Amino acid sequence: DARLLRETTSEIPVAELVDGQIILTSVDEGGELPATFELEQNYPNPFNPATTLRYRLPVRSSVTLRIFDVLGREIVTLVDEIQDAGSRSIEWTSLNGRGLQVSSGIYIYRFEASAVSGEAGSFTRVRKMILIR
């Protein structure tokens, strides 16, 4: 778990090995806490070979972020943990759970977050992205 600090922003980048691939995330430790759960459209979209997914948590939450193909088969789980409130981003490098490159096509990402204390409820959002090789 490599942690680096950037002097020009309040984001803390974190690199970790998940299912055979390096996942890059960043957490905005500076700014105000989000008022609601939110999932942004990935950027860039279409992408090759990597894209960034950003989301916001108003409270400490149990979070999962999974990527599926258009047939509904799970490709990889990027996040499956309890996270503190704040704004986060994660980079997907178009690798599956075995660390192999996936093919061009449409992929679906599903974000689920549930407040740990139950105070803010739960949130689920699904979005599409396109990988072009």
Side-chain angles (χ1 to χ4, degrees):
D1 191 29
R3 295 185 183 265
L4 305 170
L5 293 176
R6 290 185 193 162
E7 294 181 25
T8 58
T9 72
S10 58
E11 287 190 359
I12 300 174
V14 179
E16 61 184 310
L17 189 62
V18 176
D19 291 331
Q21 70 177 330
I22 295 175
I23 303 293
L24 301 174
T25 62
S26 67
V27 180
D28 185 356
E29 296 286 337
E32 296 180 23
L33 289 178
T36 60
F37 289 106
E38 215 175 310
L39 175 66
E40 294 181 15
Q41 183 65 49
N42 65 300
Y43 182 82
N45 190 32
F47 68 98
N48 178 19
T51 189
T52 300
L53 298 88
R54 297 181 191 283
Y55 58 93
R56 293 178 184 79
L57 305 170
V59 295
R60 183 172 170 82
S61 303
S62 174
V63 176
T64 58
L65 180 58
R66 293 183 172 94
I67 298 180
F68 299 88
D69 65 15
V70 292
L71 298 176
R73 296 176 296 205
E74 185 174 329
I75 300 300
V76 67
T77 298
L78 297 178
V79 179
D80 187 9
E81 64 187 17
I82 294 175
Q83 296 181 335
D84 290 329
S87 298
R88 299 175 180 274
S89 65
I90 186 163
E91 183 179 63
W92 181 46
T93 56
S94 63
L95 298 177
N96 66 19
R98 297 182 310 235
L100 303 173
Q101 288 287 326
V102 298
S103 60
S104 294
I106 298 173
Y107 292 89
I108 310 297
Y109 57 106
R110 180 182 175 99
F111 174 75
E112 298 174 83
S114 298
V116 172
S117 65
E119 64 204 40
S122 62
F123 177 85
T124 301
R125 184 75 71 227
V126 176
R127 294 192 184 267
K128 288 191 262 184
M129 60 182 156
I130 301 171
L131 171 61
I132 298 176
R133 294 235 181 250

